[in-house]
Amino acid sequence: MTRLTTAQALVRFLTRQYTERDGVRHRLIDATWGIFGHGNVAGIGQALLEYADDMPYHQGRNEQAMVHAAVGFARQRGRMSAQAVTTSIGPGATNLVTGAALATINHLPVLLLPGDTFAARPADPVLQQLEVPYAGDVSVNDCLRPVSRYFDRITRPEALIPAALAAMRVLTDPVDTGAVTLALPQDVQAEAYDWPEEFFAERVWGVRRPAPDPHELAAAVDAVRGARRPLLVAGGGVHHSRAEDALREFAGATGIPVASTQAGKGSLRWDHPADVGGIGHTGTATANELARTADLVIGVGTRYTDFTTASGTLFGDGGVRFLNLNIAPFDSHKQAGLPLVADARTGLEALTHALRGRRVEPAYVMEYTDDKERWEYRVEACFMPDDDLQHPTQAQVLGALDALVTEDDILINAAGSLPGDLHKLWRARSRDQYHVEYGYSCMGYEIPAAIGVALAAPGRPVWALVGDGTYLMMPTEIVTAVQENIPIKVVLLQNHGYASIGGLSAAVGGEGFGTGYRYPAADGTYTGAPLPLDLAANAASLGMTVLRAKTVRDLREALADARAADGPTCVYVETETADTVSGAPPAQAWWDVPVAETATRPSAVKAREEYDRRVTARRRRL
């Protein structure tokens, strides 16, 4: 038996947990992020000091941002390693909720260790405690229950043993993984207990690759063999399973074109003959035209969000069927599809083997090959630079970056108009270059996630692409990057407002109301002069090296300098304002955003007429 506090026992336990898949072993909890206050400073804080040699610690500035950093780390490590996040009670704990939702929606593991009120209640109410008259055992940490895949409150030291093991099981489960929360009352954290030595033994958690059921596989093979115009939609599960090679083999053997969701982009390199780009509202014309006429949609590792399906209007063939290869039974049954419940890599390998000799017609291959070539001409036109141009389009900024990067570079984005431009235009050169968080599309994700990715992939250039709206949400982790000299590269695009929502507002009759960073005009709307914001100066004040680019020529030089920098560096460029287009081709498919059914303003009336016309194409698969 070993006598330790509960917090010390937990940290020591975490240092001895490992994952294993395909014979490769990984440390499960790589490090712990923390901001200390009452509720964790004397418990987890002291324990991290006690075991500083075994458990690395990173100091955060915002609790939500710490979760984003941990999520970025876990995604880059293929979910085989994760990080923990500890906070105080009260606002420290509730600030975790957004990050937890992002982790769980994207099926990415993160261990949350919020402090909690006293279990024994010697001080009641304690500072920052939420008093609930009808339930004495409720605290603000209960907000984390619906966004956690596993939740427990450790009210006695010995309760940590089953809870910690359950937490590790969920973190390493490819179906159930997401945010895992162990709420830790502050008195229990500091309480000593005699722990069995077996609790601290090294433990390896196998990450399984379930094979498909033979009957489901046979039905899947029959569906593919009977299809004339099949289309594969690659989702994030391809990356989570490390199934990129298996997908390449499948596409090469069958000739079936491969479109990708935001999470699945990069499953094939952009120049692979079968890659037809992004699908859905932010997708390419090539992929969406194939989707409209597909008679079989093979979803691999996708959960079919409304962007991917274009809100149920994209797949227009009257007899279209869905075949869903997914490790999660819940997702495999979507769209009334044939389920093929299996690991993505294992399932693709089985399909490729069973379909040997079956290829789509050469005319179909020629059709999507020619369409892809035409789309690439459109991409080139968007990227085409004018070196002396001031205020380049957003697409031209991406073009300048596209001309610089190699397969080593990693791009991170989450919200605004950038995800749409990236999904349509970016040429993913490696399986993990394209890192767009679009499950929750959380503003503020990019900078902390870039830090997490850089920690997971040291030596590789990591770019956080950030609009001014996102930057203003959460620039604080720049300080952490400076503190630890993590050489992230931030590309900060100033367009004076919420460009994405501004465009959507205009499209649905909202006339861009409340979406620009401007002074109020005479009519009370925010359409006056831009606010005198200097975000470059702000980034510099937080310790970053900042390079200002006034022209496209300046931008090219600044990006090259940033890529070569050995410390955190920001490239600042002013692009077109929020009430202009980004320069990329418009949406190639419809997204269902309800429009006011009654209104007096002509813009809203016209938008409703368009909505009523579009919505008639919506279908529910049964």
Side-chain angles (χ1 to χ4, degrees):
M1 307 291 279
T2 301
R3 190 163 183 80
L4 300 170
T5 69
T6 303
Q8 291 165 354
L10 175 58
V11 172
R12 184 178 174 188
F13 168 84
L14 293 177
T15 66
R16 287 162 167 73
Q17 306 304 304
Y18 297 87
T19 60
E20 185 175 83
R21 185 175 65 181
D22 303 329
V24 181
R25 187 172 171 180
H26 309 262
R27 176 163 166 165
L28 176 52
I29 304 300
D30 173 85
T32 298
W33 289 85
I35 297 175
F36 297 114
H38 87 97
N40 71 336
V41 65
I44 292 290
Q46 192 282 328
L48 289 170
L49 175 63
E50 194 89 9
Y51 293 101
D53 292 340
D54 299 319
M55 176 62 73
Y57 164 74
H58 301 297
Q59 185 181 60
R61 268 72 199 176
N62 176 287
E63 291 87 357
Q64 177 183 322
M66 293 194 297
V67 185
H68 291 338
V71 166
F73 177 92
R75 174 168 167 170
Q76 184 62 32
R77 288 287 179 89
R79 306 194 301 185
M80 300 303 292
S81 291
Q83 293 179 328
V85 177
T86 179
T87 72
S88 63
I89 69 172
T94 52
N95 281 349
L96 295 173
V97 173
T98 297
L102 181 148
T104 294
I105 285 171
N106 287 284
H107 300 289
L108 293 167
V110 61
L111 177 62
L112 307 181
L113 305 174
D116 211 329
T117 54
F118 285 91
R121 305 182 192 175
D124 189 26
V126 70
L127 176 64
Q128 299 176 321
Q129 179 176 339
L130 171 70
E131 293 186 90
V132 181
Y134 63 83
D137 63 345
V138 170
S139 80
V140 296
N141 283 332
D142 289 275
C143 294
L144 288 159
R145 288 182 183 270
V147 292
S148 297
R149 298 297 292 176
Y150 178 81
F151 179 98
D152 204 349
R153 180 175 283 111
I154 311 304
T155 56
R156 289 292 308 143
E158 57 267 35
L160 176 65
I161 296 175
L165 293 171
M168 299 304 105
R169 175 190 62 78
V170 174
L171 286 172
T172 58
D173 189 310
V175 176
D176 286 341
T177 194
V180 167
T181 301
L182 297 180
L184 301 170
Q186 56 183 309
D187 52 344
V188 177
Q189 287 184 50
E191 187 175 345
Y193 181 74
D194 292 324
W195 301 90
E197 282 299 326
E198 294 85 352
F199 185 55
F200 304 118
E202 286 192 359
R203 192 179 299 264
V204 179
W205 301 84
V207 179
R208 58 189 175 276
R209 289 193 180 277
D213 174 85
H215 298 288
E216 289 187 352
L217 179 61
V221 169
D222 287 344
V224 177
R225 288 190 179 279
R228 295 179 303 102
R229 299 181 62 84
L231 173 67
L232 189 145
V233 177
V238 175
H239 293 310
H240 295 329
S241 175
R242 292 294 189 257
E244 297 89 356
D245 291 344
L247 177 60
R248 187 171 62 251
E249 291 293 325
F250 176 86
T254 64
I256 294 174
V258 176
S260 57
T261 69
Q262 286 279 14
K265 191 173 172 75
S267 295
L268 292 180
R269 274 183 58 106
W270 74 276
D271 53 0
H272 187 283
D275 180 74
V276 294
I279 194 167
H281 182 69
T282 57
T284 69
T286 307
N288 286 337
E289 284 304 313
L290 290 170
R292 291 183 179 99
T293 59
D295 57 357
L296 179 69
V297 178
I298 307 168
V300 181
T302 179
R303 57 193 184 93
Y304 291 111
T305 65
D306 64 339
F307 261 68
T308 301
T309 64
S311 297
T313 64
L314 180 58
F315 302 104
D317 185 90
V320 64
R321 302 174 68 196
F322 289 78
L323 165 62
N324 301 323
L325 167 55
N326 204 296
I327 199 169
F330 175 75
D331 290 317
S332 70
H333 285 272
K334 288 181 176 176
Q335 302 291 324
L338 283 172
L340 185 59
V341 180
D343 169 76
R345 194 181 82 179
T346 304
L348 283 169
E349 289 172 345
L351 277 174
T352 303
H353 178 74
L355 288 166
R356 56 189 177 275
R358 196 287 184 194
R359 285 186 60 83
V360 297
E361 292 296 325
Y364 186 46
V365 176
M366 183 176 296
E367 175 189 332
Y368 70 70
T369 301
D370 290 346
D371 281 349
K372 176 179 177 177
E373 185 176 356
R374 283 190 288 271
W375 180 258
E376 285 305 317
Y377 284 130
R378 298 181 70 178
V379 173
E380 284 294 339
C382 293
F383 283 177
M384 191 67 66
D386 178 347
D387 283 356
D388 296 318
L389 178 69
Q390 294 199 26
H391 306 321
T393 67
Q394 188 165 272
Q396 287 170 330
V397 175
L398 296 181
L401 191 58
D402 176 82
L404 174 69
V405 301
T406 71
E407 63 183 14
D408 287 337
D409 295 68
I410 302 168
L411 273 66
I412 299 171
N413 184 242
S417 56
L418 271 164
D421 287 0
L422 286 163
H423 200 203
K424 291 188 192 85
L425 304 176
W426 188 257
R427 295 159 167 167
R429 294 159 171 81
S430 64
R431 62 168 180 80
D432 60 355
Q433 180 174 86
Y434 189 88
H435 182 133
V436 173
E437 187 285 299
Y438 217 55
Y440 210 41
S441 190
C442 187
M443 295 177 71
Y445 173 81
E446 292 90 344
I447 293 173
I451 293 172
V453 170
L455 291 172
R460 294 181 63 180
V462 179
W463 301 85
L465 308 184
V466 181
D468 51 357
T470 284
Y471 180 87
L472 287 169
M473 285 274 183
M474 198 171 295
T476 51
E477 291 341 93
I478 287 174
V479 178
T480 298
V482 171
Q483 180 183 36
E484 300 196 19
N485 196 36
I486 302 170
I488 62 171
K489 297 92 171 58
V490 175
V491 180
L492 175 52
L493 290 77
Q494 169 65 282
N495 55 23
H496 303 287
Y498 301 118
S500 175
I501 293 301
L504 178 61
S505 175
V508 298
E511 301 176 34
F513 178 72
T515 60
Y517 292 158
R518 297 172 177 272
Y519 287 107
D523 62 358
T525 61
Y526 288 86
T527 55
L531 296 175
L533 305 180
D534 191 342
L535 302 184
N538 179 266
S541 76
L542 298 177
M544 262 199 149
T545 298
V546 177
L547 307 173
R548 294 178 185 257
K550 294 183 178 180
T551 66
V552 173
R553 181 181 286 105
D554 294 339
L555 175 64
R556 289 178 178 277
E557 294 173 357
L559 291 172
D561 289 345
R563 190 174 188 275
D566 57 5
T569 305
C570 173
V571 175
Y572 173 87
V573 58
E574 188 165 352
T575 60
E576 292 181 332
T577 56
D579 55 2
T580 58
V581 297
S582 67
Q588 305 297 307
W590 185 66
W591 180 35
D592 191 341
V593 178
V595 177
E597 193 167 1
T598 61
T600 59
R601 299 181 73 87
S603 60
V605 172
K606 182 178 179 181
R608 181 67 197 196
E609 291 172 353
E610 175 67 8
Y611 180 81
D612 289 338
R613 183 182 72 83
R614 292 277 198 167
V615 79
T616 58
R618 186 171 56 196
R619 298 178 62 188
R620 186 179 296 278
R621 310 288 172 187
L622 296 173

